[in-house]
Amino acid sequence: MATRRPSRSQARLFAQLIDQLEPEIHRAFMASVTDLQANVDWRALLDALTRTDIEGAIAALNINEAAWAEYSSKMTQAYALAGASTAAQIQAQGLGGIGTRFRMTNPGAQEWIRQNVANRVVGFSEEQTQVARMVIEAGFGIGQGPRNIAVDLAGRVQGGSRAGGVLGLDAPRAARLRAVKQGMRTADGVRDLVIVRQDGRLALRYKVNAATEQRIIRAYKAGTAVPEADRLISERQFSNALLKSRADTVASTETANAVMSARDEQWQQLVESQGVDANAVKKTWRHRRGSKDGRPEHIAMSGVSVMGLNTPFVMPDGTSMQYPHDPVGGAKHNINCGCDCTYQLTFKGLE
């Protein structure tokens, strides 16, 4: 079957949008974390912790969806821009008629925003509440005082802002931060953090920043806890590193989701508005990263094509995805994925 040759400009557009939008999503996520940190009611938090009132302590953190207002706005803008760019590209290639535009009011676009912006923000809030509860319960469990638990939650004020707490972290990263912070406080804890490899070299049980690793290994060799001054520096450095890692992951994953989902939605709108035959659309999976860093399943999918706009790609593990970064693929297929998908319209679709 004859087709119009796929344009490399689709790959260029994907890369350009990612380069433009990912830093903006990253900044918006970090701004949301700053908002969380700035709105902690410190006195109410200490009072609730003194009374061992877990629910009151969580309430004092003022965690709610409004903290992610800037993130929500930037994600919606990213989706709209990606859709509009795809519409312009389709029109420039002669595949859509005059008036081909990306319609944010289309039901498909509205559903994506509901699922991937509104619901995602609700998920962020629920996740932060769960992390806070974990930290509070763990602190009470080992006999920590109210102020130490509060610092573990919200960090310390430095330079007019808070840093070093768990706000903004997901549960796995928060658990790692807590384990390292607690471990550095005693000689026994330090020993638990260090692993002696078969060749005699020392390593840490958790991946931390280089300076923190050096401090912990130095304390291990001395048979002591990490000195308080060093520990406080490492707590801040490790917390900041984990928060950056979290923001990097969110920005990379969610930006690609917005860009690729908007591209697919614009093709759906082309079918609806221009009478294009959905079965005449050919989709091709493109792996855009080297084999060293890529998922083996995605490398295997590179160059695989399916006919039909709504025909899914079936991954080697059996997962069905309409396109790279399709949210149904879950974390396994989407976190930090660099793949994209090109769309071709066969001549049959132009008849």
Side-chain angles (χ1 to χ4, degrees):
M1 179 181 293
T3 63
R4 290 193 173 189
R5 293 182 61 188
S7 172
R8 289 186 179 180
S9 62
Q10 289 190 41
R12 287 198 296 271
L13 178 60
F14 179 80
Q16 289 166 0
L17 288 168
I18 293 296
D19 288 345
Q20 174 185 345
L21 297 171
E22 190 173 311
E24 296 180 9
I25 300 301
H26 191 284
R27 283 192 293 271
F29 181 85
M30 292 299 293
S32 298
V33 175
T34 300
D35 183 277
L36 282 173
Q37 294 168 333
N39 282 283
V40 172
D41 187 335
W42 185 256
R43 289 185 179 180
L45 177 61
L46 284 176
D47 179 64
L49 290 172
T50 300
R51 293 182 284 105
T52 65
D53 178 3
I54 295 178
E55 298 306 320
I58 292 173
L61 294 173
N62 288 310
I63 298 169
N64 60 63
E65 291 85 353
W68 282 272
E70 184 171 346
Y71 172 84
S72 300
S73 175
K74 287 296 183 182
M75 278 294 294
T76 303
Q77 291 174 30
Y79 183 71
L81 177 60
S85 299
T86 301
Q89 187 177 67
I90 287 173
Q91 191 169 30
Q93 293 172 352
L95 301 180
I98 295 174
T100 298
R101 297 187 180 97
F102 185 64
R103 300 188 304 276
M104 286 288 282
T105 56
N106 204 59
Q110 289 293 301
E111 178 62 15
W112 186 89
I113 292 171
R114 186 181 72 83
Q115 291 286 350
N116 297 275
V117 181
N119 287 358
R120 190 75 175 98
V121 164
V122 171
F124 282 151
S125 295
E126 292 175 347
E127 180 181 59
Q128 286 298 282
T129 298
Q130 292 167 0
V131 166
R133 190 182 304 280
M134 175 190 75
V135 170
I136 294 169
E137 291 177 349
F140 284 146
I142 62 172
Q144 274 188 297
R147 185 168 293 277
N148 282 339
I149 296 175
V151 168
D152 284 348
L153 287 166
R156 290 181 168 82
V157 175
Q158 296 173 335
S161 61
R162 291 195 176 276
V166 297
L167 294 178
L169 300 182
D170 55 4
R173 288 181 175 86
R176 269 186 279 159
L177 175 62
R178 178 167 182 78
V180 171
K181 288 175 68 172
Q182 292 298 321
M184 289 191 295
R185 289 174 177 172
T186 66
D188 287 343
V190 167
R191 283 192 291 273
D192 288 340
L193 292 175
V194 176
I195 298 173
V196 181
R197 300 191 183 279
Q198 289 184 345
D199 60 4
R201 290 186 301 168
L202 301 178
L204 294 195
R205 192 174 302 277
Y206 304 97
K207 183 178 179 180
V208 301
N209 56 294
T212 294
E213 180 176 13
Q214 292 171 4
R215 295 182 187 108
I216 292 173
I217 288 178
R218 190 160 56 240
Y220 175 84
K221 291 178 178 178
T224 66
V226 175
E228 183 178 11
D230 286 347
R231 176 172 58 80
L232 294 178
I233 293 172
S234 281
E235 287 179 2
R236 183 178 70 254
Q237 290 177 339
F238 188 37
S239 174
N240 290 342
L242 287 171
L243 183 55
K244 180 182 182 302
S245 169
R246 170 67 166 156
D248 288 346
T249 298
V250 169
S252 171
T253 304
E254 300 302 336
T255 303
N257 174 13
V259 172
M260 199 69 247
S261 295
R263 177 182 290 182
D264 187 80
E265 170 61 20
Q266 178 53 45
W267 276 85
Q268 297 286 349
Q269 293 183 16
L270 182 68
V271 168
E272 295 172 7
S273 64
Q274 304 287 333
V276 171
D277 182 0
N279 293 321
V281 177
K282 179 182 178 181
K283 302 185 296 187
T284 303
W285 189 289
R286 303 290 182 186
H287 178 71
R288 299 297 182 187
R289 291 181 177 170
S291 58
K292 179 180 178 181
D293 300 321
R295 293 169 168 86
E297 291 151 328
H298 291 200
I299 295 171
M301 289 298 295
S302 191
V304 171
S305 298
V306 296
M307 283 301 303
L309 180 58
N310 298 311
T311 300
F313 293 97
V314 180
M315 312 300 289
D317 67 356
T319 301
S320 293
M321 300 175 67
Q322 289 292 335
Y323 47 85
H325 313 288
D326 183 351
V328 302
K332 177 181 179 181
H333 287 292
N334 289 332
I335 288 181
N336 295 324
C337 172
C339 299
D340 72 296
C341 177
T342 58
Y343 291 68
Q344 296 170 253
L345 186 61
T346 68
F347 288 147
K348 174 185 175 183
L350 298 172
E351 296 173 353

